[in-house]
Amino acid sequence: MDVSIIGSGYVGTTIAACLADLGHDVLNVEIDEDIVATINAGEAPIHESGLEERIAEHAGTNLRATTDYDEIRETDVTFLCLPTPQTDDGALDLAPMRAGAESLGRTLAEKDGDHLVVVKSTVLPGTTEEVVAPILEEESGRRIGDGLEIAMNPEFLRMSTAVEDFLEPDKVVIGASSEGAGATLRELYDPILEREETDLVETDVREAELIKYANNAFLASKVSLVNELGNVAKEYGADAYEVLAAVGLDDRISERFMRSGLGWGGSCFPKDVNALRAGAREQGYDPDLLDAVVSVNDEQPRRLVALLAEHVPLEGARVAVLGLSFKPGTDDVRKSRALDVIEHLRERGAEVVAYDPVAIENVRPDYPEIEYADSADAALEGADGAVVATDWPEFDDLAFDGMANRVLVDGRRIDVDRDALEVYEGLTW
Ligand SMILES: NC(=O)c1ccc[n+]([C@@H]2O[C@H](COP(=O)([O-])OP(=O)(O)OC[C@H]3O[C@@H](n4cnc5c(N)ncnc54)[C@H](O)[C@@H]3O)[C@@H](O)[C@H]2O)c1
Ligand SMILES: O=c1ccn([C@@H]2O[C@H](COP(=O)(O)OP(=O)(O)O[C@H]3O[C@H](CO)[C@@H](O)[C@H](O)[C@H]3O)[C@@H](O)[C@H]2O)c(=O)[nH]1
């Protein structure tokens, strides 16, 4: 199938390379010329395991990138993989989606054949049918249902395992405006749907949109609940990891997403939970539980720093912050809990020396005044205390000999040699 993908960020690039791998002819349409040049040179514009080799294999044959929307007319299906950021007050910002839909609509005005437009971006219920579809109709002069079809197909991939998640998903959700649109997407995903482990959910567009938010809200809430239980466990002097490992044996609950500590960050959970809260309020419903999910999450970095302060007077202290990315395996620092830890430490007068295996250059522009170390050992050298903000596997081998005080407060339950420390404190254990 000839597929075009508008937006070549994490999602657009990953699904382009994967769909090319499944044998489709794929065109990435992207406004950033550097990204276009990188893909056409057979390289990956983002770091994801399994991505570079797929782009190298398919670029120049059945994978190409362009800044030219006109080339979309040579394709049958277009995925919109555009950003859906949050506004300053937490609501969903649809400006990039509107701009992309306008350009696509103008392009499709000059196409005679059938075309399917698929919203892949995370958008609130009603957006596909009440915002994107009218723009497409207005700009193209065509009508949905009359050779122009629309569908919503949310994406559940995680950063750092994006390729594997896309090719081997638990589920594929298709919300289609017509039987034909659904059939096209089933054909496109056929090799993925043939896997026994992949469930196909066919539903209406509005439900498909909400499934994505409900999924992320559920996962974020699970981590906040685990953190709340962890905070209570700590008060009782109990180990939350032992407690929750046992709780997870109940298969109604599951052992996954049970790691308590510093909380959730990243480019998705914070903005999606906030968009759902703002959207619910707009509909006249106060989402009290989701509000609490966010406030529990917001408190964890402050709690971590308060715990360190019980052992180290923070004013003027040199404190090593180990880990900056929002989770291991990525250099992404968007809404990383580590940044909140740095803020709290600095508010309390500490001097921060930070280390991360890959994310330092993404933090430095916003925090030019803190010190950055080349290794975890270098960060710990002479430190009055240290905190673990990201569970990078290399932190399991930390050595503490160089520290001025061997005090470690762990926000991520790393597998460190606790006997090598004078003080080891876990945030929830
Ligand atoms: N990152 C994830 O792990 C993930 C997972 C599932 C769903 N999502 C959702 O998918 C959507 C895209 O997320 P992302 O992380 O890929 O975003 P991103 O910011 O990494 O990428 C978006 C890309 O779109 C490009 N772009 C912006 N306007 C354009 C236009 N008018 N025409 C062409 N290109 C344009 C940008 O230059 C950028 O490269 C969001 O709604 C997000 O919530 C993200
Ligand atoms: O037990 C856990 C699991 C996760 N986290 C934290 O939760 C955040 C998110 O982790 P993860 O879900 O692995 O990362 P993302 O790449 O942000 O993926 C989420 O967001 C994507 C974008 O919407 C969705 O597609 C994915 O399904 C969803 O898992 C990170 O800060 C983790 O440290 C915990 O604190 N404890």
Side-chain angles (χ1 to χ4, degrees):
M1 205 174 283
D2 285 305
V3 183
S4 46
I5 295 172
I6 300 182
S8 207
Y10 274 92
V11 173
T13 305
T14 302
I15 77 166
C18 292
L19 290 174
D21 222 33
L22 298 180
H24 299 295
D25 285 312
V26 184
L27 177 72
N28 266 130
V29 184
E30 166 62 53
I31 46 174
D32 184 323
E33 289 178 5
D34 290 342
I35 293 178
V36 169
T38 305
I39 293 174
N40 287 335
E43 289 162 20
I46 53 162
H47 175 74
E48 275 295 333
S49 167
L51 188 62
E52 185 94 27
E53 52 265 45
R54 281 180 170 79
I55 295 180
E57 184 182 343
H58 298 288
T61 52
N62 63 335
L63 173 65
R64 215 160 47 76
T66 181
T67 54
D68 183 4
Y69 268 72
D70 289 348
E71 296 189 41
I72 291 172
R73 292 197 284 272
E74 308 302 319
T75 66
D76 309 309
V77 183
T78 302
F79 282 88
L80 291 171
C81 296
L82 292 162
T84 48
Q86 61 177 43
T87 58
D88 289 342
D89 54 5
L92 173 62
D93 178 0
L94 284 176
M97 287 298 287
R98 289 181 204 275
E102 277 169 23
S103 305
L104 176 60
R106 281 196 292 276
T107 303
L108 294 178
E110 289 168 48
K111 180 180 175 184
D112 293 328
D114 293 351
H115 203 90
L116 170 62
V117 177
V118 185
V119 173
K120 190 54 137 166
S121 300
T122 302
V123 291
L124 284 169
T127 305
T128 301
E129 290 170 317
E130 289 158 27
V131 179
V132 177
I135 293 174
L136 290 173
E137 290 187 326
E138 168 81 22
E139 297 295 333
S140 68
R142 299 175 62 166
R143 288 285 154 263
I144 303 287
D146 194 11
L148 179 62
E149 301 294 342
I150 195 148
M152 204 281 155
N153 167 226
E155 181 51 55
F156 301 94
L157 64 79
R158 289 163 299 171
M159 289 169 74
S160 84
T161 50
V163 168
E164 188 189 324
D165 289 346
F166 182 78
L167 291 172
E168 296 169 17
D170 297 334
K171 59 181 177 250
V172 170
V173 175
I174 297 176
S177 64
S178 69
E179 176 47 36
T184 303
L185 281 174
R186 283 198 304 274
E187 188 189 330
L188 186 90
Y189 286 130
D190 185 54
I192 294 174
L193 295 175
E194 272 189 357
R195 294 173 68 248
E196 219 173 89
E197 300 86 349
T198 307
D199 281 316
L200 170 64
V201 179
E202 290 190 278
T203 182
D204 288 337
V205 170
R206 195 171 281 267
E207 279 75 15
E209 291 170 322
L210 191 52
I211 286 167
K212 173 67 193 177
Y213 280 99
N215 216 93
N216 274 358
F218 200 99
L219 291 171
S221 303
K222 187 171 184 184
V223 176
S224 281
L225 176 58
V226 154
N227 281 339
E228 178 129 300
L229 293 170
N231 294 340
V232 173
K234 181 85 180 168
E235 295 297 327
Y236 277 112
D239 182 335
Y241 275 71
E242 278 187 39
V243 172
L244 290 161
V247 172
L249 296 175
D250 187 326
D251 65 10
R252 292 169 301 176
I253 295 173
S254 129
E255 294 163 58
R256 299 178 67 190
F257 259 68
M258 283 288 228
R259 294 183 59 78
S260 59
L262 208 47
W264 40 269
S267 66
C268 290
F269 283 179
K271 86 170 170 67
D272 292 348
V273 174
N274 282 337
L276 187 57
R277 290 164 71 213
R281 287 216 153 77
E282 216 177 280
Q283 300 297 315
Y285 177 78
D286 278 338
D288 294 338
L289 184 55
L290 291 179
D291 292 349
V293 162
V294 171
S295 53
V296 169
N297 197 51
D298 286 347
E299 274 298 290
Q300 292 307 84
R302 195 194 56 74
R303 293 178 64 85
L304 183 91
V305 172
L307 200 51
L308 179 66
E310 288 179 18
H311 303 283
V312 179
L314 291 178
E315 184 68 46
R318 181 176 169 82
V319 176
V321 174
L322 302 174
L324 295 169
S325 58
F326 83 96
K327 67 174 188 180
T330 176
D331 65 356
D332 198 320
V333 299
R334 284 176 284 180
K335 299 285 175 199
S336 171
R337 303 286 80 191
L339 304 180
D340 296 275
V341 169
I342 290 172
E343 298 276 359
H344 289 300
L345 283 169
R346 296 185 67 222
E347 269 166 29
R348 298 183 68 151
E351 278 172 33
V352 172
V353 48
Y355 168 71
D356 187 282
V358 294
I360 287 175
E361 294 318 318
N362 293 335
V363 173
R364 204 191 292 271
D366 288 334
Y367 294 87
E369 61 290 327
I370 68 172
E371 194 181 322
Y372 296 91
D374 291 338
S375 66
D377 282 350
L380 292 173
E381 190 65 37
D384 299 304
V387 295
V388 176
T390 313
D391 36 347
W392 284 102
E394 68 170 67
F395 294 158
D396 290 351
D397 301 322
L398 290 176
F400 306 101
D401 304 342
M403 292 183 79
N405 299 308
R406 284 179 286 123
V407 175
L408 182 75
V409 175
D410 185 357
R412 295 293 182 186
R413 181 72 159 212
I414 58 169
D415 199 8
V416 76
D417 178 7
R418 297 183 189 182
D419 294 338
L421 288 154
E422 285 153 30
V423 176
Y424 172 85
E425 282 267 15
L427 185 53
T428 59
W429 56 94

